[in-house]
Each structure stands twice: as C-alpha cells, then as structure tokens.
Amino acid sequence: MSKSRLGLPLIGIMATVAVALPAQADTCAASTTCSTTVTFTVAAEGGLEITVPDTANLGSGSSGGQISTQLGSVTVADQRAALTATWVASVIAASGGFTTGGGTAAETVPNTAVLYWSGGTTATTGTGTFVPGQANAAAAQSLNASRTAFSKTTGSGDNSATWNPTIVINVPDQAVAGVYTGTVNHSVA
C-alpha cells in the first residue's frame, strides 16, 4: 500500500473517461470525392385557416330592387407545408336569411335571394392552381346551399389566396323598410 505525503494510505482508483468524437466522413484517396450526409428539418408553421371581414354593410336598395357590392377581402392561408397543398373554401348564408324587426315573412330576405360570386384573386403566394368558385357575375350562385367560394387544386408547400367576393341581394317586392341582418359563412378544408 502506498502512502500520500500526509501519511494517509492511497487507494487505487481507476477512472474511465469517455470522449465523444465527432462523426467522421468517408476517408477518400486524393482526387476522389468524399461525401457527408447532411440532414435538416422543414417544419410546418401552422395549419389551414380562413380570414373574413367581421362585418359588412352592403348599402341600400328598394323593394323589388337589387343590391350588389363587394363583401371585403377573404383570405385562405395554408401553412401546413404539405406535399399536396390543396384546399376548398366554401360559403353559405344562414338558413334564416336576413331579417329586420320581428323577422316575419315581410321582414325577411331569404337566403335564396342572396347570390355570391368570388371573382379572381386579388393576391396569392406559393405555387399551384387557384380556382375561383364563380369567376364572374354570370356565374353567381344562390347562398341557400353550400357553394365553393375558391379552391386550390395543385401545388405544394405554404400558400395563400385572397379574393373580394361580390354579394348580390335580390330584394323581394314585399320587403319592408328596415336594416336587415344575417350572416354569410365561409369555411375551408
């Protein structure tokens, strides 16, 4: 047994130290190519969402007349970074139509009298094919059923599309004066 300078016995302790060495690339002879495998991750920033105006005042018109104006910008943002980045935005008016006062027949504009046409995009990002649900006024559709407002049919990665749809109200002859309120509902999947 060995003793330290202080006269205390030394006990043999053996420590093993592991050293992590960096990964080595191939070893290659001169004038040849050596390769290093490199990896990285592209992360999805978010999901698929739609943004619509909170409120819209479509103006005024008379009984038996027509009101036609743009709703305001609607935007679909797709941040799923998907290989097949396609989507369909849909639109429908509330089943109760648009009402004033007590909502009697004379105080209701039914959703069958509310038409929608998307028109083209006002802005897009990403790649792929963006398709309007209704390209022009001649293609306008009643909002008494779910309609395609816009779609993206090809492409990959993140993308977005914005459009400013036109709403057309065919005011019934029996409609009474008042401020009519209802909803136009958009969704995307």
Side-chain angles (χ1 to χ4, degrees):
M1 181 179 293
S2 301
K3 291 193 176 192
S4 72
R5 290 189 351 191
L6 299 174
L8 298 172
L10 291 175
I11 302 172
I13 299 175
M14 183 173 209
T16 303
V17 177
V19 177
L21 298 175
Q24 296 293 316
D26 292 340
T27 301
C28 305
S31 300
T32 61
T33 301
C34 272
S35 299
T36 301
T37 301
V38 177
T39 63
F40 59 90
T41 302
V42 174
E45 297 174 37
L48 178 64
E49 61 187 21
I50 191 165
T51 304
V52 300
D54 286 335
T55 61
N57 184 335
L58 302 182
S60 62
S62 58
S63 295
Q66 191 176 74
I67 301 167
S68 179
T69 192
Q70 290 183 300
L71 180 68
S73 292
V74 176
T75 301
V76 170
D78 183 354
Q79 296 183 325
R80 299 172 295 174
L83 177 60
T84 304
T86 59
W87 47 261
V88 175
S90 300
V91 62
I92 189 171
S95 60
F98 296 79
T99 62
T100 192
T104 64
E107 297 169 306
T108 300
V109 174
N111 58 11
T112 55
V114 180
L115 306 177
Y116 180 101
W117 61 279
S118 57
T121 59
T122 57
T124 63
T125 63
T127 62
T129 304
F130 299 92
V131 181
Q134 308 78 26
N136 52 44
Q141 293 180 298
S142 167
L143 290 182
N144 63 323
S146 182
R147 309 294 184 183
T148 296
F150 231 94
S151 61
K152 183 170 181 284
T153 59
T154 65
S156 62
D158 288 353
N159 62 86
S160 67
T162 300
W163 65 97
N164 192 353
T166 299
I167 303 293
V168 178
I169 310 291
N170 291 313
V171 183
D173 291 334
Q174 78 274 10
V176 299
V179 176
Y180 286 74
T181 303
T183 60
V184 172
N185 304 308
H186 285 87
S187 61
V188 67

